């Protein structure tokens, strides 16, 4: 078998099973592959033997073409319907989890606790004189009332 017979069998095996542009594309690819290998010094029959049965190659291309067209049709249907039933944008957001190391989580929690305690303490220190004044004023008021009443 020579290159032309190989490509003819290949084309016949694909004819009617895949679009014409796919057939032309693959025929051109295998023709250039065979030519490049023979230009590099390989024997044409050796190259054809390495490629194998042209009908088997055609069957592989037919199956991959079906698979690709089914995938394109599914994505086209999803696009046209405006949603993806299997995998939506919301699902991708919900499924993203960030896993932090334990030491980092502990450090963050301790920092938050320290900051909260600092804020509480500063508020207490700021308000302590006012509270002490009110307590002292209340004590004086009671003492004066008690003294006035004669208790």
């Amino acid at each position: 078998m020579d290159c032309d017979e190989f490509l003819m069998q290949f084309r016949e095996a694909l004819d009617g099973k895949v679009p014409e542009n796919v057939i032309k594309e693959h025929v051109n690819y295998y023709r250039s592959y065979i030519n490049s290998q023979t230009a590099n010094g390989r024997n044409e029959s050796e190259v054809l033997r390495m490629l194998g049965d042209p009908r088997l190659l055609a069957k592989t291309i037919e199956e991959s073409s079906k698979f690709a067209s089914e995938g394109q049709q599914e994505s086209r249907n999803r696009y046209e319907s405006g949603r993806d039933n299997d995998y939506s944008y919301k699902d991708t957001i919900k499924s993203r989890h960030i896993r932090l190391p334990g030491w980092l989580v502990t450090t963050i929690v301790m920092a938050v606790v320290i900051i909260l305690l600092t804020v509480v303490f500063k508020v207490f220190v700021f308000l302590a004189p006012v509270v002490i004044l009110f307590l002292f004023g209340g004590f004086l008021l009671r003492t004066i009332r008690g003294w006035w009443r004669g208790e």
Side-chain angles (χ1 to χ4, degrees):
M1 177 184 323
D2 67 348
C3 177
D4 292 329
E5 288 177 49
F6 178 89
L7 293 175
M8 186 179 67
Q9 286 182 11
F10 180 70
R11 178 180 272 287
E12 287 173 356
L14 285 175
D15 194 30
K17 296 177 182 169
V18 295
E20 185 63 30
N21 63 334
V22 173
I23 296 173
K24 286 180 182 178
E25 180 182 324
H26 284 88
V27 166
N28 289 338
Y29 169 78
Y30 283 110
R31 182 181 311 279
S32 66
Y33 177 78
I34 293 167
N35 289 339
S36 69
Q37 291 297 311
T38 54
N40 287 336
R42 285 201 144 149
N43 187 352
E44 185 178 275
S45 60
E46 179 185 338
V47 173
L48 295 175
R49 190 172 51 250
M50 283 179 18
L51 287 174
D53 187 2
R55 293 173 300 217
L56 182 60
L57 281 175
K59 187 67 174 171
T60 304
I61 290 169
E62 177 187 348
E63 292 298 319
S64 64
S65 179
K66 282 181 188 176
F67 181 73
S69 66
E70 287 172 4
Q72 288 175 350
Q73 183 61 37
E74 285 178 18
S75 65
R76 203 174 298 119
N77 289 343
R78 287 183 196 142
Y79 178 74
E80 289 169 358
S81 68
R83 60 187 165 82
D84 183 352
N85 294 332
D86 298 332
Y87 193 69
S88 68
Y89 180 72
K90 289 180 180 177
D91 292 339
T92 58
I93 291 174
K94 287 180 184 175
S95 65
R96 291 187 185 188
H97 297 283
I98 297 174
R99 183 96 177 145
L100 298 175
W103 63 269
L104 184 59
V105 172
T106 305
T107 305
I108 292 170
V109 168
M110 288 179 63
V112 168
V113 168
I114 289 171
I115 290 170
L116 285 175
L117 287 174
T118 303
V119 168
V120 168
F121 183 72
K122 289 204 181 246
V123 167
F124 178 74
V125 168
F126 178 75
L127 293 178
V130 175
V131 171
I132 291 172
L133 280 175
F134 275 111
L135 288 174
F136 185 68
F139 175 73
L140 278 176
L141 189 60
R142 279 187 169 193
T143 306
I144 293 173
R145 273 189 188 169
W147 177 68
W148 198 266
R149 288 185 188 162
E151 294 178 8

